[in-house]
Amino acid sequence: MSHNEYFSVHYDLTINVEPLSNDAALPNMETFEREIPAPFRVAQECSSLDDVSENELSFLKLDDGKRLANYLNNQNQKLNLLLSYLLIQQDDEAYRHKTVSFGASKFTFESKNALNIDQKAKVKLFLEHPPAAIYCYAKVTQCTETETGYLIEMAYDLLRDIDQDLLIKAALFQQQKVLKLRAQERNLT
């Protein structure tokens, strides 16, 4: 994975950060691929299929197929709910945190415990839109003491390209929500 800089958005995603020992080495790509929990793979596949489905549904809405398009959208929402339920089962309360910000190159979160710079961790990010979860490895790039604990920044060390694309989509979605809200607020004044 290249360490390109992508924009980050302020948003509180649920994440799991499982710190590894300071001398822990990252697995090779083949081992990493085998480690990824099955629900995470299913979520990624569903997200890819959703992209294709959205394009097809847009054509139906232009025709007289609006009822069929609505029906298919409802079915998709049901599947996404089931998928979200499956994914949340992978959330480990012992390692749970909320992000302060996230993007496709890094994320930040608050913790009561400090982590060492360059310390590695197994990470699970639970995305709301698109409904998916990402399994990866990251390393600590900053650890700053705050009044309530530590603000920790982590950069992705081992992340599939397809998962990086999901992070880009999720960050764009959250950014669009913020921009729409600002536009609405401007229109009210």
Side-chain angles (χ1 to χ4, degrees), residues 166-177:
L166 284 174
L167 284 166
I168 291 168
K169 286 179 190 174
L172 284 171
F173 177 80
Q174 294 306 327
Q175 186 66 32
Q176 286 174 339
K177 279 177 44 177

Side-chain angles (χ1 to χ4, degrees), residues 77-87:
Q77 287 177 347
K78 286 181 194 177
L79 290 173
N80 284 338
L81 284 171
L82 286 171
L83 182 59
S84 295
Y85 174 76
L86 260 177
L87 291 172

Side-chain angles (χ1 to χ4, degrees), residues 21-22 24 115-121 138-142 157:
S21 64
N22 288 325
L115 293 176
N116 298 321
I117 300 297
D118 291 329
Q119 184 173 0
K120 293 171 179 37
K139 72 176 175 187
V140 177
T141 54
Q142 289 183 21
D157 257 350

Side-chain angles (χ1 to χ4, degrees), residues 99-116:
T99 59
V100 173
S101 66
F102 80 95
S105 56
K106 63 185 176 183
F107 64 93
T108 59
F109 69 100
E110 292 181 345
S111 175
K112 296 199 183 305
N113 304 313
L115 293 176
N116 298 321

